[in-house]
Amino acid sequence: MNPELLERITARRAELDELEEHLVKQLVEVRTERDELAVAEHVLERVSEQLANERASVTPTPGRVGGRAVMLIPHRTSGVEESTLPPDCQRILASVRQAAGPVMARQVGDALGTDVSVRAEPEPLRGILVRLVDRGWLRKLPDGRFTTCL
């Protein structure tokens, strides 16, 4: 046998053995990552289902911030009814809806029987109106007036 040819065959075999070892490691890594992705996908599906169920059953619950009771206003989505809003927010929406057009916070306060003669009195009401805007229940016009959503 030709020693030079035998040496080349042996060298090539060593290269292929090394390549095979590298490819086996890569295949193990790929299979491991695929398994991890399958688990992540399953977890994501479960979390998404849980969030969808929670959003579907949104009911306002009074919260506390700094020891003070606050109203929690849900975002307006297709599954959330106006009846899930706190009673005060429902009254505010009804007042805006019954107005002849866009209204200022002071006008809403008048309609609800709030004393708006003192400048600071409508501010909490204005805050609720803004939160209703932020959550999609009302619209705020550039001039500061509020109106219902289309």
Side-chain angles (χ1 to χ4, degrees):
M1 270 186 130
N2 185 345
E4 188 178 304
L5 188 56
L6 188 57
E7 188 177 311
R8 289 177 78 192
I9 291 173
T10 305
R12 182 65 180 147
R13 183 170 283 134
E15 286 175 13
L16 292 175
D17 288 345
E18 188 177 316
L19 180 60
E20 181 183 27
E21 185 179 321
H22 178 72
L23 291 174
V24 167
K25 282 182 182 178
Q26 277 188 322
L27 184 59
V28 168
E29 290 172 3
V30 166
R31 287 182 177 158
T32 300
E33 188 172 348
R34 272 187 157 170
D35 292 342
E36 290 171 353
L37 287 173
V39 169
E41 186 176 35
H42 182 69
V43 169
L44 180 62
E45 286 173 3
R46 291 184 77 186
V47 168
S48 295
E49 287 173 9
Q50 288 174 345
L51 287 174
N53 290 338
E54 287 175 12
R55 285 186 183 132
S57 65
V58 171
T59 54
T61 54
R64 297 194 80 67
V65 175
R68 199 174 125 213
V70 294
M71 244 187 305
L72 299 179
I73 302 171
H75 287 275
R76 182 179 183 190
T77 59
S78 60
V80 179
E81 298 294 325
E82 190 175 309
S83 61
T84 62
L85 289 171
D88 288 344
C89 291
Q90 291 179 30
R91 287 181 37 231
I92 291 168
L93 280 176
S95 172
V96 172
R97 195 174 292 117
Q98 290 170 358
V103 292
M104 298 296 287
R106 213 170 261 291
Q107 293 169 293
V108 175
D110 277 339
L112 297 175
T114 304
D115 179 19
V116 291
S117 61
V118 179
R119 183 164 172 78
E121 287 303 316
E123 290 310 310
L125 176 60
R126 185 173 286 108
I128 295 171
L129 286 163
V130 169
R131 281 193 295 283
L132 287 168
V133 168
D134 291 342
R135 288 167 177 86
W137 295 98
L138 291 175
R139 285 186 321 134
K140 185 174 182 182
L141 302 177
D143 63 1
R145 294 181 301 161
F146 297 90
T147 186
T148 55
C149 291
L150 300 176

